Amino acid sequence: MAVRPLSPELEEIARRELNEDPSRAEQDIKHLKDWLAKQPHISSRQDKQWLTMFLRGCKFSLERTKAKLDMYYTLKTALPEFYTRRDPMLPENQELLKLGAILPLPLPDDQGRRVILMRNGLNDPEKFKLVDMFRINIMIIDVLLEEDDRSTICGTVIVLDHSRSTLTHFTQFTPSLIKRGTTLFQEGYPMRPKGLHHITTNSAFTTIFNMLKSFMKDKMKNRLFVHAALDSLHEHVPKRILPKEYGGEAGSLSEITEEWKKKVEAKRSWLLEQEKYGVDEKKRPGGRPKTQEDLFGLQGSFRQLNVD
């Protein structure tokens, strides 16, 4: 599979900000494939588009890319609760997709970044737990990264709406779950997070917000915003790209939800195929398998991550 050609706009950003050099593309891809062939513990996709996505996320540093690929598959194996039951046609997933709890918006912002709207609290907490929401969120993020070069090249901005969140929802945000989620996205994914905006918060949110910040890198802490009103959000995220329910001009939530439901359903075979990739810690060079303690610092949990 060839690498998708970029628009002139994205090509220039990739060159200027990510050190992308088309004349080195084949050489870089070959280097990664040769390296993967020498990693007996990693079972990885090796198509050019996939490896290029990781190179872009690591600004074409080959050493950083190799470390990121290893960590991605290590965390994927370590977190089966996020990476199993990913068939979008399963009844539970159909119900969750209809909620539209995570919606990459159709238009980029003024800096070309992909904006992702997340609406916590849409799920019935007695029926669906936070880990179920994480699973659906990751499915959509995976489809986005597979299809949208802009999200990797220009970066992403996340808007979190807490208007539907209740105390029952917030109590599911355990330190363990937050640590696993933040580690996955900060250490495993080749993403360029550019901003995290919280809106319509309530008193219960403060505790979760402080806990979330404690697991974040300093760079990301500096990109956190809490908005008391939509007017404040509009100073960072233009109205033209937001759904009309948020004072915007880019269609309705129901339209965007249906669009993403169809996108994920269309990628069913691709999502199911990804389940075969991961790591086998018993084959990791050096003879020291990664543990939950290594990855998440979870005291008392030393389960090794074995995949046959």
Side-chain angles (χ1 to χ4, degrees):
M1 175 176 149
V3 178
R4 282 187 298 269
L6 298 176
S7 68
E9 172 209 2
L10 291 181
E11 193 173 68
E12 171 58 22
I13 294 172
R15 182 196 63 77
R16 185 178 68 246
E17 298 185 13
L18 306 182
N19 307 310
E20 184 161 350
D21 181 355
S23 69
R24 287 182 50 87
E26 290 296 328
Q27 181 180 342
D28 288 343
I29 294 296
K30 182 179 185 302
H31 182 98
L32 291 179
K33 287 185 175 183
D34 290 345
W35 174 78
L36 284 167
K38 298 173 184 176
Q39 308 306 309
H41 64 300
I42 303 176
S43 174
S44 170
R45 283 178 56 189
Q46 298 193 30
D47 57 271
K48 292 181 180 180
Q49 186 68 51
W50 180 252
L51 296 179
T52 298
M53 179 181 71
F54 274 85
L55 283 163
R56 287 170 176 161
C58 298
K59 296 187 176 181
F60 283 81
S61 162
L62 288 170
E63 293 309 307
R64 283 177 57 195
T65 303
K66 289 185 283 190
K68 181 74 75 172
L69 277 165
D70 192 332
M71 184 59 77
Y72 171 79
Y73 285 112
T74 298
L75 290 169
K76 182 175 182 289
T77 302
L79 298 168
E81 63 269 37
F82 296 157
Y83 287 97
T84 54
R85 307 195 325 278
R86 301 223 307 169
D87 185 343
M89 305 314 293
L90 288 173
E92 62 186 285
N93 290 339
Q94 282 284 296
E95 191 169 340
L96 290 169
L97 287 169
K98 289 176 183 176
L99 293 177
I102 174 171
L103 299 173
L105 301 183
L107 299 174
D109 70 5
D110 294 341
Q111 286 75 50
R113 304 172 299 191
R114 184 65 62 199
V115 177
I116 303 170
L117 173 65
M118 299 179 67
R119 297 183 291 159
N120 296 330
L122 293 184
N123 60 301
D124 177 353
E126 300 301 322
K127 185 174 183 180
F128 294 113
K129 304 305 180 185
L130 188 59
V131 70
D132 297 313
M133 304 305 293
F134 272 34
R135 185 181 72 254
I136 290 293
N137 288 359
I138 292 169
M139 286 170 62
I140 290 176
I141 292 296
D142 286 351
V143 171
L144 177 69
L145 291 177
E146 172 71 5
E147 295 190 342
D148 181 42
D149 295 318
R150 183 175 295 279
S151 59
T152 306
I153 294 173
C154 299
T156 57
V157 173
I158 297 177
V159 177
L160 289 114
D161 179 1
H162 301 280
S163 60
R164 297 283 296 275
S165 296
T166 66
L167 184 58
T168 305
H169 288 105
F170 280 126
T171 56
Q172 294 183 7
F173 280 87
T174 64
S176 173
L177 186 57
I178 292 177
K179 175 62 174 177
R180 283 178 282 158
T182 54
T183 299
L184 176 62
F185 281 104
Q186 289 185 147
E187 306 296 337
Y189 271 78
M191 299 179 72
R192 303 184 69 205
K194 296 295 187 177
L196 188 58
H197 299 265
H198 296 271
I199 61 174
T200 52
T201 60
N202 53 41
S203 57
F205 163 77
T206 304
T207 300
I208 301 301
F209 181 67
N210 291 332
M211 185 163 46
L212 180 66
K213 284 177 65 177
S214 72
F215 293 123
M216 284 186 171
K217 295 180 179 179
D218 289 339
K219 182 192 295 187
M220 201 60 216
K221 289 179 183 177
N222 295 329
R223 296 171 180 175
L224 278 173
F225 302 88
V226 179
H227 303 281
L230 284 177
D231 286 347
S232 174
L233 175 68
H234 293 158
E235 294 175 8
H236 298 265
V237 182
K239 287 184 179 182
R240 66 174 181 81
I241 74 168
L242 288 167
K244 64 181 182 182
E245 291 86 348
Y246 290 84
E249 304 163 2
S252 67
L253 287 170
S254 61
E255 291 169 341
I256 302 172
T257 297
E258 182 60 24
E259 177 186 349
W260 268 98
K261 181 173 177 291
K262 290 178 179 178
K263 278 180 182 286
V264 175
E265 290 170 352
K267 298 293 286 188
R268 178 177 183 265
S269 296
W270 180 84
L271 286 164
L272 294 176
E273 181 189 1
Q274 306 318 302
E275 294 183 8
K276 69 182 182 183
Y277 301 115
V279 298
D280 182 344
E281 289 295 341
K282 291 177 291 187
K283 297 179 180 179
R284 182 178 289 277
R288 187 177 184 276
K290 294 282 188 181
T291 67
Q292 294 281 317
E293 176 73 15
D294 294 329
L295 296 171
F296 311 115
L298 302 178
Q299 296 296 327
S301 176
F302 294 88
R303 177 174 61 87
Q304 289 186 3
L305 315 174
N306 295 318
V307 170
D308 296 322

